[in-house]
Amino acid sequence: MERAAPLTRTATGKPSFLRANAEAIAFVVMAAGLIVAPFFTYPLFLMQAMCFALFACAFNLLIGYVGLLSFGHALYFGWASYLAAHSAKVWGLTPELAILTGTATAAILGLVAGSLAIRRQGIYFAMITLALAQMMFFFALQMKFTGGEDGIQAVPRGYLFGLIDLKNEAAMYIVVLVIFLGGFLLIHRIIHSPFGEVLKAIRENEPRAISLGYKTDRYKLIAFVLSATIAGCAGATKAIVLQLASLTDVNWPMSGEVVLMTLVGGLGTIFGPVVGSFVILLMQYKLSIVGEWVLVIQGIIFVTCVLLFRRGIVGEIAARFKG
Amino acid sequence: MFEIFGIPSGALFGQLLIGLINGSFYALLSLGLAVIFGMLNIINFSHGAQYMMGAFAAYLMLKYSGLGYWPALIVAPLVVGLTGVLVERLFLQWLYKLDHLYGLLLTFGLALIIEGVARNQLGSAGLPYVVPDALRGGQNLGFMFLPNYRAWVIVASLAVCISTWFVIERTRLGAYLRAATENPTLVRAFGINVPVMITLTYGFGVALAAFAGVMAAPIYNVSPQMGSELIIVVFAVVVIGGMGSILGAIVTGFGLGIIEGLTKVFFPEASATVIFVIMAIVLLVRPAGLFGRRA
């Protein structure tokens, strides 16, 4: 993995190995942790968490690096999971093709919604993405193939490439791990590419980027489609893993949840969304006994994060590190 | 009974009436959002939850203290408005220097808290609220039956909308407000206490939402999710109208309510989504919104 962050120098003037390679080290630790983790805790929980982590990373690509708050990312996550579930169950596609179908759906939806939403800036952008997602929620509610309130249940996991039986938990786990790490590296690559640098320039000062000759709308749209596509890939994978696609995944609280995960982990940090989604999912899992209070607790976390803790967990750690 | 485009007039006017009622709520809520946004530069995501608080306040007043609709119409907005003042002092005032997004996120969190508490305390089923005695029954207009309460809702919300417009656009206080929206520093230099004005503006916007909530209580059931369902539609209304103009917010609110009502008659499947579709079309044709100024 290439070294992305500028070298920070220690007091002696030499770049410390730890600091210079912080991202690479963190990535290795994360990958190793995810390989070992299923021996200690429920693989199904980990797979679900990885799907949400990828979803949050995709969301973070927009908010963290282009400064666009999409409040409707459930649209891509949920619709991709519907299409993946439907194509696996009804059309009998193999899981990798089902995931591709879902991902492609999200890409198309992202292109349409993105080209509408980027017509307005700032706060309007958030409201437009939310409203478009709500529209697609109603479509999902009304259309026959989605199964309405029941969703699409008992989706077969099928045979990967027609060969490997994914009912085997270990095989499924490896598939999800590969998708997650692949998606994560892709996002890392995007952020540190020349394209990503232009995105950051747009985040910092859009008029200036325009005056430098960049067609910022085109950059924003491409970033939006990429984010929607990766979010879709996460949703499609989740549908195969949990063998379920439901209204929960397209509804607005899901959009809020991915915002929360990213905010808790750290907006605009590469590892933040991953940490955030594991923390939030673990919390929901541990707190399932308190029922509706989860909503209140999530709200309190939102308020606390915004008021006191805007850098998020990873952001705070990084700030300490740089000291 | 006669028919218009093959639709019995009763059904048509009935849906038009429902459209006007929905439009009243869209107008009241988008007006509140616009007033708050103008002053605080914050999109108040908890607006829907505060609307729900208004309805619940009315319900609780009736249940525990026997105070009926009319006192509730005054007291509930005041109480909820006061909680708004507290929210502004405790939370929002720290966010003005930051990106707008944080205001949205914070008020979203508040909305979750309010809705969560309401669900825990009152259950997620809808609770009925009776129409006040004075407004029971209705008028037979010949072509349709007009329930008195619904006529009252339309008239009352129109009156509130227009007086808000009047205060903001035609009085000295409104002039201060508009001036503070344009340039708060300069207005402070003239000796006007802008922070207090900001606090009260938020309180007022929230009180408007609660007022709408009390009026909605006898029409829809009082339920914790009544606000979150509505607020997303109101966001679309705000995108369509643009938040630059008070009158624009009112006109767009009523207009979209009527269009939605008509859709229910002619193409019922699309009634839930028609406002979002209109939003998409407006974004294509007039990206700044119908009454908006290009940002």
Side-chain angles (χ1 to χ4, degrees), chain B residues 5-61:
Chain B
F5 302 125
I7 307 283
S9 64
L12 181 64
F13 287 113
Q15 290 300 343
L16 259 183
L17 179 65
I18 293 178
L20 267 177
I21 297 273
N22 286 339
S24 319
F25 294 123
Y26 297 158
L28 276 175
L29 293 178
S30 55
L31 179 65
L33 277 182
V35 170
I36 291 173
F37 184 73
M39 217 40 201
L40 287 82
N41 265 325
I42 276 178
I43 275 293
N44 186 26
F45 209 123
S46 49
H47 217 62
Q50 282 148 342
Y51 157 87
M52 180 265 287
M53 277 172 85
F56 264 115
Y59 173 82
L60 294 175
M61 280 170 66

Side-chain angles (χ1 to χ4, degrees), chain B residues 24 30 46 64 70 118 122 134 138-139 147 165 192 198 202-203 207 211 261 279 281:
Chain B
S24 319
S30 55
S46 49
Y64 292 109
W70 300 108
L122 303 140
Q139 311 295 328
W165 169 81
I192 292 163
I198 292 179
Y202 186 75
F211 178 78
M279 180 191 81
I281 297 169

Side-chain angles (χ1 to χ4, degrees), chain B residues 103-128:
Chain B
L104 183 76
L105 295 179
L106 186 117
T107 48
F108 179 72
L110 285 178
L112 291 183
I113 297 174
I114 297 169
E115 190 174 325
V117 169
R119 277 197 200 179
N120 281 299
Q121 298 304 309
L122 303 140
S124 49
L127 305 161

Side-chain angles (χ1 to χ4, degrees), chain A residues 212-263:
Chain A
L212 287 172
Y214 291 106
K215 294 196 166 65
T216 55
D217 274 357
R218 193 174 296 168
Y219 279 90
K220 276 158 59 178
L221 182 59
I222 295 173
F224 195 93
V225 174
L226 282 170
S227 171
T229 310
I230 298 167
C233 180
T237 310
K238 182 185 165 252
I240 300 293
V241 170
L242 297 183
Q243 303 180 279
L244 172 76
S246 72
L247 282 177
T248 318
D249 296 337
V250 277
N251 206 355
W252 64 266
M254 182 58 78
S255 299
E257 215 158 276
V258 76
V259 180
L260 181 64
M261 288 170 176
T262 314
L263 186 66

